[in-house]
Amino acid sequence: MSATYPRISKQLDDPETAREEGRRKIDWARQHMPILETLREEFEESSPFDEQRIGMAMHVEAKTAALVETLAAGGAEIAITGCNPLSTHDDVSAALDAQPNITSYAKHDISDQEYYDAIETVIAIEPTITVDDGGDLVFRIHDKHPDLIENIIGGCEETTTGVHRLRSMDADGALEYPVFAVNDTPMKRLFDNVHGTGESSLANIAMTTNLSFAGKTVVVAGYGDCGRGIAKKAAGQNAHVIVCEVDPRRALEAHMEGYEVMSMREAAPKGDVFITVTGNKDVITREDFEQMHDGVLLANAGHFDVEVNLDELSDLATNVSTVRDGVREYELQDGRRLNVLAEGRLVNLAGPLSLGHPVEVMDQSFGVQAVCVRELVGAHSTGLPDRLLSTIRNRIGQADGPRVVADRGYKAGVNEVPDALDREVASIKLDAEGITIDALTDEQDEYTNSWQHGT
Amino acid sequence: MSATYPRISKQLDDPETAREEGRRKIDWARQHMPILETLREEFEESSPFDEQRIGMAMHVEAKTAALVETLAAGGAEIAITGCNPLSTHDDVSAALDAQPNITSYAKHDISDQEYYDAIETVIAIEPTITVDDGGDLVFRIHDKHPDLIENIIGGCEETTTGVHRLRSMDADGALEYPVFAVNDTPMKRLFDNVHGTGESSLANIAMTTNLSFAGKTVVVAGYGDCGRGIAKKAAGQNAHVIVCEVDPRRALEAHMEGYEVMSMREAAPKGDVFITVTGNKDVITREDFEQMHDGVLLANAGHFDVEVNLDELSDLATNVSTVRDGVREYELQDGRRLNVLAEGRLVNLAGPLSLGHPVEVMDQSFGVQAVCVRELVGAHSTGLPDRLLSTIRNRIGQADGPRVVADRGYKAGVNEVPDALDREVASIKLDAEGITIDALTDEQDEYTNSWQHGT
Amino acid sequence: MSATYPRISKQLDDPETAREEGRRKIDWARQHMPILETLREEFEESSPFDEQRIGMAMHVEAKTAALVETLAAGGAEIAITGCNPLSTHDDVSAALDAQPNITSYAKHDISDQEYYDAIETVIAIEPTITVDDGGDLVFRIHDKHPDLIENIIGGCEETTTGVHRLRSMDADGALEYPVFAVNDTPMKRLFDNVHGTGESSLANIAMTTNLSFAGKTVVVAGYGDCGRGIAKKAAGQNAHVIVCEVDPRRALEAHMEGYEVMSMREAAPKGDVFITVTGNKDVITREDFEQMHDGVLLANAGHFDVEVNLDELSDLATNVSTVRDGVREYELQDGRRLNVLAEGRLVNLAGPLSLGHPVEVMDQSFGVQAVCVRELVGAHSTGLPDRLLSTIRNRIGQADGPRVVADRGYKAGVNEVPDALDREVASIKLDAEGITIDALTDEQDEYTNSWQHGT
Amino acid sequence: MSATYPRISKQLDDPETAREEGRRKIDWARQHMPILETLREEFEESSPFDEQRIGMAMHVEAKTAALVETLAAGGAEIAITGCNPLSTHDDVSAALDAQPNITSYAKHDISDQEYYDAIETVIAIEPTITVDDGGDLVFRIHDKHPDLIENIIGGCEETTTGVHRLRSMDADGALEYPVFAVNDTPMKRLFDNVHGTGESSLANIAMTTNLSFAGKTVVVAGYGDCGRGIAKKAAGQNAHVIVCEVDPRRALEAHMEGYEVMSMREAAPKGDVFITVTGNKDVITREDFEQMHDGVLLANAGHFDVEVNLDELSDLATNVSTVRDGVREYELQDGRRLNVLAEGRLVNLAGPLSLGHPVEVMDQSFGVQAVCVRELVGAHSTGLPDRLLSTIRNRIGQADGPRVVADRGYKAGVNEVPDALDREVASIKLDAEGITIDALTDEQDEYTNSWQHGT
């Protein structure tokens, strides 16, 4: 397609090499994304997106590329740009852009103006579907191109922040087409939070510091899904885990798991590694820093860099220096050294060695994206084996497989992802892993219903 | 009070000894029920139940007795009978009955007629509050004594079955006073299911069979809360765990925990111990039995004894004999022996050595009962330390501590337990364990709200 | 055979019923002792003990009976009595005694005089082999019947205490025939200590008290094999584990596992359950009791009842009473109640519900006994599949399978069990579990040797 | 000192910057090596090495530098070079060389000739003590400078390979001064193998591949200390673990831990990640590759790159390419892709992101080095608190603290590290972690001895 925006692949010093390198990265991701591969094969056969133009604004790196190629395999024309200039891999962008149905306008480290220009260029394809990570596409369309809305079937939103913004729009009656809150599905949250954040946070800490966890006291602040994952995985590396929580029931859950539970003030002098995952601010503050021993590590795995109060830490410090890539050492008056990882930003994503979320986690999340896009066009699974369809039917009580709602049947606004779609993605993953599960017999189904709903 | 029903303590051969024995059992339970002890102290001081008559139909054994004594300490007059004739401990009944405000009509192994007579005698006190395990009191009152309803403030229901029956009544518009579904609270489910059922099932199996779990393959059918608890605790005893599930997402969760996941048909020849916790029927059937190896154990930890299909197993067997207390051996034609524990009934409750649910689990469940009864009379916490009240307030956003609703403010029908009450019980437990947790500062509270609810 | 000692089975009120009951118990044990069953089949075919008379003094209960029947299947004539009057099950004794080649003289709760009379009656068969648990047979023979020694091929000793006594004899040059220290083999220690003691201690505590471990602080004193097992299994039940040790390296190992490590004095106010497994005395003393909180459990899983200093606890207590079977409550002046389980004796063996060591653990230990007896008569494995023999050969570097030494080739004194026999038992167990393992190729074998022994 | 060998720090383009960077790395290591810091303080005060010249050939990187500086603090003059040209960090070398008592001749990626020249230059200081990693110094001295031996007090050897070579010399009567086999001490093996190799292998795999372990089937070949660590830590990341072993008893141990145990042939089609830690060759071969599924990872954590047979894999492959740093993909005829990490070399040390062993692990290993050097000069602990000395004394039964043998009291040849020294290092670590452990009372000590040694 024609595009006035200067496409990245045209500008690279050696576009051929970049494309090859990007291809290599994408292939590695695809090798480990069995859900998307299954869906890609289905889409190649059924071509559900033949008439569609999909506009996307997401982190342009290898895992996202696998989603793009999956949707393209279903016949869509796709235009994509980044949702954050710093997360773009130019080589991946080039490899995407080299393909017939796909145009990529993402470029690493561009200016704000270029960033919005690129979004405009994506919008210029007049998308029938939008796929967002943060909501920028949806906002821009509503703000600047309201005329396009009547031809937009719907959208998907990947993140907490985006869903939050869309809900605000929705509450004001300002969201004029349906958007699936992919962020909120169990398939995204359960695995991303517990396993993805848990494992990648610890691996990043270990590899950034050359330290190990065995025998360390790890203080986990926040016992939501992410905190549970970190606590569990840290204990699985033979750390001694202390949990801090403000919710008494969650605190009791942590206690009943066998962790020590106490206030941050009490934990401060005991911890060797502190990991905040509360979603709140000022979780570790001056009074805590004053109690910590020499050499502790301070890391954040919650959304923003406000959980460890770095301003107060700076005030306390007599000297601050970067002692390793990704490690800032704050030296206190008495010589104690507190080490902040990744400048208090997400340690699993912002660390110097970080590769972002593990591939399998994004496979699950993007698998939900792919079936949601399919759902928006009113198509349903054609590739799922009969056995799986039957399992989902049995469980969901539907006659027609996981397809739930007819074309355009969704209301304008934020829509929950139909649970059957979420379960379909789980089924695809199980199938890809070669796992067979039981299906309810009719008698069992009846027994369950009679018991649950009264006789 | 006068009672025509022949009270058990009057009939015992040696009532004095029985009372002492019952007292000993109750004291043991109370020694390990810190939540009830805390509430008992609060109630003794504030006397919230001075005007109340509480009718109860519950398992009359030591842990229930601790609840009875807690409520009595608050000034209530209490009449209690069993909710199942076989679960009554006569000595505990006698010890309860010996106290000034308490009359116990429960008796072990009585006839159906006597059972209903006893319920009638409880109703004869004209209760202002009912506390049920299974709903018999509520039904009887609605059915035979509707005139009492206008003086009944409300009730509490302990079990799944009872809540299920009450919801059916409610759906028909037939439930004429408010009843709290104590069964459904997080404090009951999370700990009872995961930890209580998990630990007690395995301990009962080990002690009934003299076998150990290390190196055994344990097949857990059903990966709900109970199944998770059993799987986790079995792995914690170094068993190799296989999970069978019909829900693809739960199956995937089990897979991501590291368990093997497969169909029961595939698991049948691999397992050494099979534990069903599905809530469904025919989970293990003829085709499975035919594949099992010699010496396997078959146990059920789900509600009813229909999970392992004993009819089909009997058909297959050439000989059936009791080889140990609590173990029925089914010998098949080819000599293989399959061992069914506790006749396929709840292995943690119906086994020959069973003492019922662990004490701490019932402390949590009955703690919720006690605060719900207090809530019904419109009272609120007077005993909770300011610090705890503040924590709950901060979290719940209430000005007045955990008390939520004024006297009689609940609608007739099944009511959810207010979350603040459930959290109050969690707080009491943490306090009793000497655990301090953090409280949100005003700034943090504001930050959370701004983020969650939009700006 | 003729025997002047009044055999128990002749005296039972209803010997037929007792025999049946004993048979039932033995059959249950045999159903879960695959190692002994494999060896029994081998012995039935090869009859290695045709000329032998085996005298045994062991705990006469179901698991031991399986060993007795295994040896009898090999053609031996066997006379057995107990090694402790309180551990004898009269019904098992009767069932054994009912068999052609076996005479059992064990009887529950007999006097000291009767106990020694019974040993004498066993010796009266003029054993060619002795199998002891504690060494009483060996001592009695050396002391009173030295003339029999010249016809005794050798013996086996099951326990630490017995081996200890025999080593003392040996050091004095007083042990005049070879005895295998079965107690010291890896197959006995690794599994018995870590898994057997670990699981059975916790299950006994749970079932005796009706309490659970989740969220409890369990203090384990002693981090040897048994302590490791208890700590690991308690953590596996979601307890918070504190380890006390006197050896700095073991303490550091516990620390690196993620457990808290501290002195008993520091642990005393923190623990909910205390389990001693040090093999030493006075592990918990007055100063510790004074710091403990109300309701703690005190249990011992070490050899003797001196680990918890009950004398000092009695001195502190103002009242002592039995509050449940197996639980003595010591009430202190300030009202705190400390609960001692099983009177401070081995909680997994002396508790009111105890069934002794788990069946599988004894299968491994008695499997070593059986191959040791076979070794003493100079026989070797005939029943082991070629594949297994080859595995052991490869590993051990022997040409002829696990048989190591010719008939009577062992020196008088305490002999270590040849490692090949211990591994044979491991191989039999793996085979019985249907597990195939790799065997070294010749090239790998050579590679290993070249590397280990120099070139 | 004069040195003809061109010292690296003189050659750097910007030696000042290099020194600063090296200093930063060393300081980070020292911040997390409390054992060496404790010993450094002791040595600074007691100056045990005032007369000594220490020659060292070790990996010249930050952790080793901490050992060098610890020994230098005790008054020694030190000359060091690398033991492998590729492991040298030039900046660390420069930072060491900048110090008064220390000369470093190590240089990254030098030629063989330069490597041996550097060793010669170290020898030129006429060392009184040698500290080796691989034995090169000892061999060179014996081979080329036998005249120096009479003035050498002794040496220390860090690695398996070095100890193996020294034992060969010793067996030939050719080792003419005492060398401590530091490699063989419990403090090195237990923690390095189980925790160090376990954690660092998994973290390197995760960060090299961007994959996670939850739900993966990890096949661990070899169940020695390293294999146990990897299996345990992988299970702790929610992997499903399969163990392959050739030793039946180890295989049974793995089975009793709850792992699946099978032959590599059976595991090949089930595994997602294969990690070899056998110390043998040809652990995974052609027949296994043929069964593996698309996308598996093959990694080695055993000593040499012969465990995965890469020759056979190359033969099978139709295409081999580097798909990521540290990942070689072997594509088979049918399109399956097998990914070999770190070219089959030690995945935790040779991976592209590797930082070598975790700092804490080297602290323990080098702590033993430091006390062994002190032992060689006949000095003993002066810095250990009385309490710790008393603990070690109590445990070891020595009157004079951990010093065991007088100056030069060790025989020429390979010497085991005295256990008291190993325990001293454990004590120092516990102390640095703020952990207090119990000490045996005299009565307990006597009880233990009486029981162990007979009465």
Side-chain angles (χ1 to χ4, degrees), chain D residues 62-74:
Chain D
K63 289 157 280 188
T64 307
L67 171 61
V68 173
E69 297 186 2
T70 301
L71 297 174

Side-chain angles (χ1 to χ4, degrees), chain A residues 61 63 89 196 200-201 204 347-351 353-359 361-362, chain D residues 206-207 210-211 324:
Chain A
E61 50 91 65
K63 289 157 280 188
H89 289 222
S200 61
S201 296
N204 271 280
V347 73
N348 60 327
L349 299 182
L353 304 171
S354 177
L355 304 158
H357 290 295
V359 177
V361 159
M362 297 317 297
Chain D
M207 296 296 287
N210 198 19
L211 299 174
R324 299 173 73 83

